[in-house]
Amino acid sequence: MRRFKNRVSWAGLLASTVLAATALAQDSSLPPLPIEATGTVQSLPAKYPDEWFLVHDASFFHMSDGKVYVIDTSADTVAEQVKGMFNVVLMGNIGQSRRRGEIYAAETFHSRGTRGTRMDVLTIWDMASLAPKGEVVWPTPKRYMGMPQRFAVTPIDNDNLLLVVNFTPATSVTIIDLDTREIVNEVATPGCLMAYPTGQRGFSSLCADGRLMSTQLARDGSLIKQTRSDVFFNSDDSPIFEHTAFIEGTAYFPSFSGEVYPVNMQGKVAQVGKPWDLVTKEERAGNWRPGGIGLIDADDHGHFYILMHPDGADGTQNGGGSEVWVFAAAKRERVLKIQLQAWGLSLAVSRGKKPMVLVTNPTDMSLELYDGTSGEYIRSVKDFGQETPLMLHASYQD
Amino acid sequence: MRRFKNRVSWAGLLASTVLAATALAQDSSLPPLPIEATGTVQSLPAKYPDEWFLVHDASFFHMSDGKVYVIDTSADTVAEQVKGMFNVVLMGNIGQSRRRGEIYAAETFHSRGTRGTRMDVLTIWDMASLAPKGEVVWPTPKRYMGMPQRFAVTPIDNDNLLLVVNFTPATSVTIIDLDTREIVNEVATPGCLMAYPTGQRGFSSLCADGRLMSTQLARDGSLIKQTRSDVFFNSDDSPIFEHTAFIEGTAYFPSFSGEVYPVNMQGKVAQVGKPWDLVTKEERAGNWRPGGIGLIDADDHGHFYILMHPDGADGTQNGGGSEVWVFAAAKRERVLKIQLQAWGLSLAVSRGKKPMVLVTNPTDMSLELYDGTSGEYIRSVKDFGQETPLMLHASYQD
Amino acid sequence: MNFLDDLFERRSRQLAQRSSRRGVLKQLGGLLVGAAAVPLLPVARAVAAPQAAPKAPKEMGDESDCDYWRYCAIDGFLCSCCGGTKNSCPPGTEMSPITWIGTCRNPADGRNYVISYNDCCGKSSCGICLCQRDEGDRPPYRSDKTNDINWCLGTASAVYHCSTAIVVGVALDKGAK
Amino acid sequence: MNFLDDLFERRSRQLAQRSSRRGVLKQLGGLLVGAAAVPLLPVARAVAAPQAAPKAPKEMGDESDCDYWRYCAIDGFLCSCCGGTKNSCPPGTEMSPITWIGTCRNPADGRNYVISYNDCCGKSSCGICLCQRDEGDRPPYRSDKTNDINWCLGTASAVYHCSTAIVVGVALDKGAK
C-alpha cells in the first residue's frame, strides 16, 4: 500500500523495470535470432478438449461490446488459459454444434452503434479459426434480448436445424437450415418461451400458464404439430426456472422453492414427471433455495449441479448461491456439496471422465474451478479482461 | 469486510432492505398521487454553465462503447453531477461550438460491430437535447484514431468550418461546412498532424521534422497557402507534446524536458516564440517533468495548468503527474502548485471567474475537482459508470 | 483508507446488484400472442388531487436510492442518476412504450400504486446506480413479470440506457402485480 | 486477504499501464505523404542460423510478461495472453501490415534487434496483459515513433485487439529506433 501513497515511486518503478531488463547475463557468441514471418494467425482444434469452456461476458456496462472467451481451465496462467475470443453484440446468446465445429451467436447491430437501423444477425463462428464463416440476417429484427440463456439458440435434428428464440414481446422461434444457412420457418409459440430440444426434430417451450408446449417439425423445418401439456406448476406461486440440465433426454427444471421437475424430452411431446425435493426439511427451514443465472448444468455421469443459497426469499432467486449441490438425478440423491470460496452466480460443468465445475464469482467477476467429484477448489481464472461473465458453457453443449 | 466473508448475509441484506422500506410512518388521509405522464425526456440548457465538463471515456477495454458524460462538477452527488451522456464509438474525438450549441464527435462504425465495412462519421450533437441533429459521412474512412485529443476535431472561422484530422498513415485534414454539414475540402498536411486554430481562417499542424505548418483557408474551405516554420525543436531529442493550451491567441506547447514554447497563432502563420523553463534548476535536478494525456489546459485569466511528475525519464511522459502547476503565461511565472490526492493523468480547467481544475485520477479512474485559485481539493466525481475517462474538456473549448 | 472504502463499496454493489439483468422494464399483460397488444391494467385510475385540498399528495425518500419506494420491482440503472428523473428519461434517449408493471406501496400514504417501469433507450448502459430488486420477479416465460428481458421494444433503438418508475394508478388490491 | 491482493494488483496495473494508449503498433518511416509507403528499414537482415551450428539462437524470459525483452517499445494488450503468441495473432484476427519499428536489446546475446509491432485487428480489446513501455515514444506527429495511434490500418477492420512483437532483423546500430 505504501507505494501508492508515495507519489514519486511510480516513475521510479518504471525506471527500475528498464534497468532490470538490461542487467541479465549475455553470450555474444550465440548466432543471431532468425527473421520471423509476419501475418501468422493461430488456430484452435476443431473439437475443443473437455477442459475448455465458453465464457460469455455480456459486458453489462458496455453491451455493445459483449465478448465470448474460449478458456482452457486446465492451465495455470491467464496466458495459457485464454485461447481466443469473439464479440457478441447486445445481450446475445450462443449455441454450439460439435458435429459441424461451429458456434452460433445471435446478436444485434445498429447502423450507428447504439442508434440507427437495427439488424438481428446469427453469426456462425468456425471453432477452429474463430473466424465468422457465415451469417443469417433476420428479415425483421425480433430476437430475444435479455440475460444470457442456454436454450435461446439451440441446434436440433443432429444439428441440421437451428432454433433461435424471438420476443417482441410476441414469442416465436426462427428455424434455420444449417446446411444452407437460411431461415426456413418461423413458428409462433404463443405465451411460451425458449427452445428445449425434444424428440428427434422438435422443441419444447415453457409457458406462462404453467405448461410446456412441444413443437414437432418436419425435416424442412415446417410445423407438424404443437402440443400443450397439462398445467404442472403455477408461475405466480410456485415458479420454475427457465434454466435446466439435460441428462439422457430428461430435462431437470428446478423450482424457486427447491424442488426439481424431471421432464422427459425423448418423445415427440414433453412428459412431465413427478417433482422431488432438492432440500431436506431442515434445509427448507433454513430457506435453502436454488438461485442464480446459469444456475444448473449436468455432467456426463448422470449428475446435475445447482447453485444453492440459504435464507432464500422473494427476490433472492437470481442472486446465486454460496454452495453448489450435486445430485445423482436417477437416484434423486445428493452426492456432494461444494462450498464456494465466496459466492457463485452461474456455473457450467465440463464433459468427459473428470467433471469440473466452473463458477462465476460475482464478488470480483472471476471464475473458479472446482473438482466435480471431490468438490475441491482447483484454481481461479481471472484478469482476462472480463466485465460481467454472466453465462458459462461447457465447450460442447450436446 | 466481515459481511462478505459471511456467506449467508447477502440474502439477509436484501430482506432487511425490503423491511426497511415498509416500516415508515404513513398518513392514509393524504390524497393519492396523480397519474404521471409517460414519454417525458429531459433537456439541458443550450449553453452549459462554467462548472460543466465533457468527460470523454474512451472505454479502453470496450472501445466499441466509448462514452462522453456531461458532468456538473458543482454538485455533490452522482445523481446531480451526471446531466447526460452520448456514445462515441472507437477512440473518437470531440469538439464544441458555443455559438451553435453543438458538439462534434468523429467516430467509426463497422457494419458488424467490430468487423464488416468501416464507416467514419462526424455526428453532430445538439447540446440542449443531447440528440444527434446531423451527420457527415467520410467518402473513404480515414479519420485519426488514437488516444483522445483536443485538436483533432476543431471548429474555426467563428465556427463556420470544422476541421477533422485524418491519418492513414498519410496525414490530412477534412474540412466541413457547418452550415451545410458537407465536406468541402480535404487538405494534405504531409508529415504534420493535428489542427490548431490559426488566424481568422486557418490552422497549424505539428510536424515530425520539428516545424509547424500553417494552412490558410478561403471562406469556402479551399486552400490558400501552406507555410512551414523554421525548425524549432528536435522530435528525437527534445520533443514537445502535441497537447497545448491557448491563451489569448498564443498556444503554449510544453516539451518533454520541462520547457514551454509559446506560439502566436493570431496571424496567418504560426510564430514560434522563445521557450522558457517550467522548472527551476533544483526541480530539473529532481527530473520534474510534464506528463500525461490531456496534460495542459488554460483558464480565462491568463493561466495554464500542467501535470508534473518528479523522477521523469524516457518512458514517463505519458504517465501523468502527482502535481498540477499553474503558470501566469505572460509573466512566465508559476503562481500555484496543487498537490493531487493521488495522481493525475489528464486535466481540464473551467472557464469563468472561478477556474476549477478537473483531474482524472488513474488509480481508481475517478475525477477530482480542485480550486484553481487556492489549489484546494473540493470533491470527487466517481461511480458514474466510467471505465477510462482519458480526456476531459471544459464545457466550452473556445 | 479511501482505497479500502472504495473497494468494499464496489464489492457490495457487485454482490447486491450485478447478479442479474433485473427486469428493467416489463410488459403489460400476460399472454401476448402474434403481435404486441395493450392489455387492460389492473389499475383504478387515480383521481387528480383536488386543487384546494388541504393536504397534498406525498412521497418520501431519495429517488436516486435503490430503496426508494417506487423501485420495488425495478431492475437496471436508475434514470434519476443518469440525467433523467424517476419518471423521465435522460436527454437524447427515447422512452420505451412497452413496459412491465409493478405494484409498490407508498409509505407516505400507505397506498399501493401501479408503477410502470419504462426503459430509456438509444444510448448504451448509463452505468450508474444499478438497482436490483427481484421481488415478484419471474422467469422470462412469464413475460409480464420478468425483469431479465431487454424492454427496449417498440423504440427506434434496442439499446438499453436506464429505467424509470412512473405512477400510472392506484392498485385495486395489493395482490395485483 | 484475497480482496486486498486483488485490489492492489489492480491499482498497480492501473497506475502502470492504463495511463496511455501505448503505441500498440507504429509505422515504418517518418514523413509519409499522400499515401502509405514502405520506407527502408534501418535493418541488416539477420542471417538464418546455420543448421549445424553448435549453438542455437537464444531468448530468455516470459513472453506473457510486460518486461520481456521484445516489448521495449510496445503498447497495448500482449497477444501472448490473448490466444496468440509474441509473434502471431489470436485465432480469427488479422495482423496489421502497417507497423511501428522498435529496437530492443536481446539480453541473451547482447544484440539489438529491430522489432516490428504488428497489431492484431478485427475483434475488440483483448483486455489482457496491458503493457505500457513508453521508452522512445514520441507524440503522434512523429508517427514513426508514436504509440498513441491505432495501428489497425490496412486491415479489413479498424478494431484493435492486441499487439505482437516480431523480430525482423538485427539493428545496424543501437541508435536506430
Side-chain angles (χ1 to χ4, degrees):
Chain A
M1 183 147 183
R2 190 168 304 125
R3 73 171 189 260
F4 298 101
K5 294 290 185 190
N6 179 342
R7 288 171 182 159
V8 305
S9 63
W10 173 72
L13 202 67
L14 255 191
S16 65
T17 298
V18 177
L19 291 175
T22 56
L24 302 171
Q26 69 178 66
D27 176 357
S28 57
S29 70
L30 289 169
L33 297 170
I35 293 176
E36 295 166 353
T38 57
T40 309
V41 178
Q42 293 296 308
S43 62
L44 301 176
K47 295 194 186 304
Y48 294 171
D50 290 335
E51 297 81 7
W52 291 21
F53 287 80
L54 300 181
V55 175
H56 186 182
D57 180 355
S59 303
F60 199 74
F61 291 76
H62 301 90
M63 295 183 196
S64 301
D65 195 39
K67 301 173 184 181
V68 172
Y69 290 91
V70 181
I71 299 284
D72 176 1
T73 60
S74 71
D76 285 322
T77 68
V78 72
E80 297 165 306
Q81 288 160 347
V82 175
K83 312 308 288 183
M85 65 84 97
F86 58 91
N87 292 104
V88 179
V89 176
L90 283 183
M91 296 188 270
N93 278 296
I94 62 168
Q96 302 171 62
S97 169
R98 175 172 221 150
R99 173 166 82 79
R100 294 178 184 269
E102 292 173 348
I103 303 170
Y104 310 102
E107 50 184 346
T108 296
F109 308 110
H110 290 74
S111 59
R112 296 293 183 272
T114 52
R115 51 202 166 77
T117 309
R118 170 179 168 180
M119 182 188 236
D120 284 4
V121 175
L122 181 87
T123 306
I124 301 172
W125 294 90
D126 183 74
M127 294 181 95
S129 68
L130 276 189
K133 62 194 270 193
E135 69 175 20
V136 180
V137 178
W138 265 237
T140 305
K142 57 168 67 175
R143 75 169 182 88
Y144 176 84
M145 289 176 71
M147 294 299 283
Q149 298 285 341
R150 287 229 178 84
F151 295 95
V153 175
T154 312
I156 59 166
D157 189 22
N158 192 29
D159 303 349
N160 285 317
L161 299 176
L162 185 76
L163 312 173
V164 183
V165 171
N166 299 314
F167 183 87
T168 68
T171 52
S172 65
V173 171
T174 288
I175 296 153
I176 292 167
D177 182 317
L178 286 176
D179 282 331
T180 62
R181 294 176 188 156
E182 284 175 0
I183 294 174
V184 292
N185 197 6
E186 181 187 346
V187 176
T189 56
C192 309
L193 201 66
M194 300 305 158
Y196 308 98
T198 303
Q200 193 192 333
R201 200 180 300 110
F203 64 93
S204 296
S205 309
L206 272 171
C207 308
D209 61 359
R211 303 171 196 261
L212 272 159
M213 183 171 72
S214 297
T215 300
Q216 288 172 256
L217 299 173
R219 194 176 293 272
D220 65 357
S222 60
L223 176 64
I224 294 177
K225 195 177 181 186
Q226 289 187 313
T227 311
R228 287 179 190 262
S229 75
D230 290 338
V231 171
F232 69 100
F233 70 98
N234 180 314
S235 64
D236 277 318
D237 303 328
S238 60
I240 64 174
F241 287 92
E242 83 275 27
H243 303 288
T244 190
F246 270 77
I247 296 175
E248 290 174 8
T250 293
Y252 292 85
F253 287 94
S255 75
F256 279 26
S257 59
E259 293 175 300
V260 64
Y261 288 77
V263 180
N264 185 329
M265 300 286 202
Q266 292 179 290
K268 291 180 176 173
V269 175
Q271 301 291 341
V272 180
K274 205 183 159 206
W276 48 275
D277 278 330
L278 296 172
V279 292
T280 64
K281 269 187 186 169
E282 294 72 32
E283 288 159 352
R284 192 174 295 284
N287 281 313
W288 278 91
R289 293 186 186 181
I293 299 177
L295 79 162
I296 188 169
D297 201 9
D299 64 15
D300 280 349
H301 308 283
H303 299 151
F304 65 79
Y305 299 68
I306 183 165
L307 280 162
M308 300 290 296
H309 64 281
D311 298 327
D314 183 20
T316 68
Q317 64 274 7
N318 294 338
S322 55
E323 299 185 4
V324 172
W325 292 0
V326 187
F327 290 86
K331 294 181 183 168
R332 305 181 175 193
E333 202 176 273
R334 182 169 63 206
V335 295
L336 184 68
K337 278 190 192 181
I338 303 175
Q339 307 274 344
L340 300 177
Q341 301 283 307
W343 197 264
L345 184 58
S346 284
L347 61 74
V349 183
S350 67
R351 274 51 184 165
K353 285 186 182 168
K354 294 183 177 173
M356 305 293 271
V357 192
L358 191 66
V359 181
T360 298
N361 177 347
T363 66
D364 62 1
M365 291 295 163
S366 71
L367 309 175
E368 291 170 2
L369 190 73
Y370 295 84
D371 184 308
T373 310
S374 69
E376 187 193 357
Y377 165 74
I378 311 286
R379 66 173 60 85
S380 283
V381 180
K382 56 183 180 181
D383 296 333
F384 58 100
Q386 81 280 17
E387 186 168 277
T388 51
L390 297 179
M391 184 59 79
L392 313 178
H393 302 261
S395 60
Y396 292 104
Q397 195 78 26
D398 286 329
Chain B
M1 182 148 183
R2 191 168 302 126
R3 73 171 188 261
F4 298 101
K5 293 291 184 191
N6 179 341
R7 287 170 182 158
V8 305
S9 63
W10 173 72
L13 201 67
L14 257 189
S16 66
T17 297
V18 176
L19 290 174
T22 56
L24 302 170
Q26 69 177 69
D27 177 357
S28 57
S29 71
L30 289 168
L33 297 170
I35 293 176
E36 296 166 353
T38 56
T40 309
V41 178
Q42 293 297 308
S43 62
L44 301 177
K47 295 195 187 302
Y48 294 171
D50 291 335
E51 298 80 8
W52 291 20
F53 287 81
L54 301 181
V55 175
H56 185 183
D57 180 355
S59 302
F60 199 75
F61 291 76
H62 303 89
M63 295 183 196
S64 302
D65 195 39
K67 302 172 182 180
V68 172
Y69 290 91
V70 180
I71 300 284
D72 177 0
T73 60
S74 71
D76 285 322
T77 69
V78 71
E80 297 165 307
Q81 287 160 347
V82 175
K83 312 309 286 184
M85 64 85 97
F86 58 91
N87 292 104
V88 179
V89 176
L90 284 182
M91 295 189 271
N93 278 296
I94 63 169
Q96 301 171 64
S97 168
R98 177 173 221 149
R99 173 166 81 79
R100 295 179 184 269
E102 293 172 347
I103 302 171
Y104 309 103
E107 51 184 344
T108 296
F109 308 110
H110 289 76
S111 58
R112 297 294 183 273
T114 51
R115 50 201 167 78
T117 309
R118 171 178 168 181
M119 181 187 236
D120 284 3
V121 175
L122 181 88
T123 306
I124 300 171
W125 294 90
D126 183 74
M127 295 181 94
S129 68
L130 275 190
K133 61 193 272 195
E135 69 176 19
V136 180
V137 178
W138 266 238
T140 304
K142 57 169 66 176
R143 76 169 182 88
Y144 176 83
M145 290 175 71
M147 296 297 284
Q149 297 285 341
R150 287 230 178 85
F151 295 95
V153 176
T154 313
I156 59 167
D157 189 22
N158 192 29
D159 303 349
N160 285 317
L161 299 176
L162 185 75
L163 312 174
V164 183
V165 171
N166 299 314
F167 183 87
T168 69
T171 51
S172 66
V173 171
T174 289
I175 296 153
I176 293 168
D177 182 315
L178 285 175
D179 283 332
T180 62
R181 294 176 187 156
E182 283 175 2
I183 293 174
V184 293
N185 197 6
E186 181 187 347
V187 176
T189 56
C192 309
L193 201 66
M194 300 304 159
Y196 308 97
T198 304
Q200 193 191 334
R201 200 180 300 110
F203 64 94
S204 297
S205 309
L206 270 172
C207 308
D209 62 358
R211 302 171 196 262
L212 272 160
M213 183 171 73
S214 296
T215 300
Q216 288 173 256
L217 299 172
R219 193 175 294 272
D220 65 358
S222 60
L223 176 64
I224 294 177
K225 195 178 180 186
Q226 288 187 313
T227 313
R228 287 178 190 262
S229 75
D230 291 337
V231 172
F232 68 99
F233 70 98
N234 180 315
S235 64
D236 278 316
D237 303 328
S238 59
I240 64 174
F241 288 91
E242 83 275 27
H243 303 288
T244 189
F246 271 77
I247 296 174
E248 289 173 10
T250 293
Y252 292 84
F253 287 95
S255 74
F256 280 25
S257 60
E259 293 176 299
V260 63
Y261 289 77
V263 180
N264 185 330
M265 300 286 202
Q266 292 180 288
K268 292 180 176 175
V269 175
Q271 301 290 342
V272 181
K274 205 184 158 206
W276 47 275
D277 280 329
L278 295 171
V279 292
T280 63
K281 268 187 190 169
E282 294 71 33
E283 288 159 351
R284 190 174 294 283
N287 281 313
W288 277 92
R289 294 186 184 180
I293 298 178
L295 80 163
I296 187 169
D297 201 10
D299 66 14
D300 281 349
H301 308 282
H303 298 151
F304 65 80
Y305 299 67
I306 183 165
L307 279 161
M308 301 291 294
H309 62 283
D311 298 327
D314 183 19
T316 67
Q317 65 274 6
N318 294 337
S322 55
E323 299 186 3
V324 172
W325 292 1
V326 187
F327 290 86
K331 293 182 184 169
R332 306 182 175 194
E333 202 176 273
R334 182 169 63 205
V335 295
L336 185 67
K337 276 190 194 182
I338 303 175
Q339 307 274 345
L340 299 177
Q341 301 283 307
W343 197 266
L345 183 58
S346 283
L347 60 74
V349 183
S350 68
R351 275 50 186 166
K353 285 187 183 170
K354 295 183 177 174
M356 305 294 270
V357 191
L358 191 66
V359 181
T360 297
N361 177 348
T363 67
D364 62 0
M365 290 294 163
S366 71
L367 308 176
E368 290 170 2
L369 189 73
Y370 295 85
D371 184 307
T373 309
S374 69
E376 188 193 356
Y377 165 74
I378 310 285
R379 67 174 59 87
S380 282
V381 180
K382 56 183 180 181
D383 296 334
F384 57 101
Q386 81 282 16
E387 187 168 274
T388 50
L390 297 180
M391 184 59 79
L392 314 177
H393 303 261
S395 60
Y396 292 104
Q397 195 76 25
D398 284 330
Chain C
M1 300 297 283
N2 278 339
F3 283 173
L4 291 184
D5 293 346
D6 219 59
L7 172 69
F8 291 128
E9 190 189 345
R10 195 172 310 166
R11 302 261 177 211
S12 163
R13 273 185 287 124
Q14 287 173 340
L15 268 173
Q17 301 167 335
R18 286 198 172 178
S19 44
S20 155
R21 167 79 175 109
R22 281 298 318 273
V24 171
L25 289 201
K26 311 169 188 197
Q27 162 211 346
L28 300 169
L31 300 178
L32 284 180
V33 177
V38 182
L40 296 175
L41 292 179
V43 174
R45 293 226 139 204
V47 177
Q51 282 200 320
K55 290 180 171 180
K58 202 167 137 189
E59 298 178 82
M60 48 178 66
D62 174 2
E63 70 177 68
S64 66
D65 187 330
C66 186
D67 289 337
Y68 187 63
W69 73 275
R70 293 184 182 211
Y71 302 145
C72 74
I74 209 171
D75 171 30
F77 303 109
L78 301 179
C79 291
S80 296
C81 299
C82 306
T85 67
K86 62 190 175 192
N87 57 13
S88 69
C89 286
T93 62
E94 181 189 3
M95 191 179 282
S96 169
I98 302 176
T99 74
W100 182 88
I101 297 291
T103 304
C104 303
R105 185 176 171 281
N106 179 5
D109 64 11
R111 287 188 186 87
N112 292 307
Y113 289 88
V114 179
I115 306 293
S116 173
Y117 297 103
N118 297 62
D119 276 350
C120 303
C121 311
K123 299 184 179 187
S124 74
S125 299
C126 151
I128 315 174
C129 296
L130 183 52
C131 174
Q132 175 174 21
R133 286 174 62 181
D134 273 328
E135 303 135 42
D137 170 65
R138 293 294 174 263
Y141 61 79
R142 182 66 198 268
S143 59
D144 60 321
K145 285 192 161 188
T146 194
N147 63 22
D148 280 349
I149 283 176
N150 174 22
W151 286 100
C152 281
L153 299 169
T155 44
S157 160
V159 176
Y160 169 72
H161 183 62
C162 66
S163 301
T164 64
I166 300 176
V167 169
V168 295
V170 177
L172 287 178
D173 62 86
K174 170 66 184 162
K177 280 174 186 175
Chain D
M1 300 299 284
N2 277 340
F3 283 174
L4 292 183
D5 293 346
D6 219 60
L7 172 67
F8 290 127
E9 190 191 344
R10 196 172 310 166
R11 301 263 178 210
S12 162
R13 274 184 288 125
Q14 288 174 340
L15 268 173
Q17 301 166 336
R18 285 198 172 178
S19 43
S20 154
R21 168 80 173 107
R22 282 295 320 271
V24 173
L25 289 201
K26 313 173 186 194
Q27 162 213 344
L28 301 169
L31 300 179
L32 285 179
V33 178
V38 183
L40 295 177
L41 293 179
V43 175
R45 291 225 142 204
V47 177
Q51 282 198 319
K55 290 180 170 181
K58 202 168 137 190
E59 299 179 82
M60 49 178 67
D62 173 3
E63 70 177 70
S64 66
D65 186 332
C66 187
D67 288 338
Y68 188 63
W69 73 275
R70 292 184 183 211
Y71 301 146
C72 74
I74 210 171
D75 172 29
F77 304 109
L78 300 179
C79 290
S80 295
C81 300
C82 306
T85 67
K86 63 191 174 191
N87 58 12
S88 70
C89 285
T93 62
E94 180 189 4
M95 191 179 282
S96 169
I98 302 176
T99 74
W100 182 88
I101 298 292
T103 303
C104 303
R105 186 176 170 281
N106 178 6
D109 64 11
R111 286 188 186 86
N112 290 308
Y113 289 87
V114 179
I115 306 291
S116 173
Y117 297 103
N118 297 63
D119 276 350
C120 302
C121 311
K123 298 184 180 186
S124 73
S125 298
C126 151
I128 315 174
C129 297
L130 184 52
C131 175
Q132 177 174 20
R133 287 173 64 182
D134 272 328
E135 303 136 41
D137 170 66
R138 293 294 174 264
Y141 60 80
R142 183 64 199 268
S143 58
D144 59 322
K145 286 190 162 189
T146 193
N147 63 22
D148 279 348
I149 282 176
N150 173 22
W151 285 100
C152 281
L153 299 169
T155 45
S157 161
V159 176
Y160 169 73
H161 184 62
C162 66
S163 302
T164 63
I166 299 176
V167 169
V168 294
V170 177
L172 286 179
D173 63 87
K174 170 67 184 163
K177 279 175 187 173

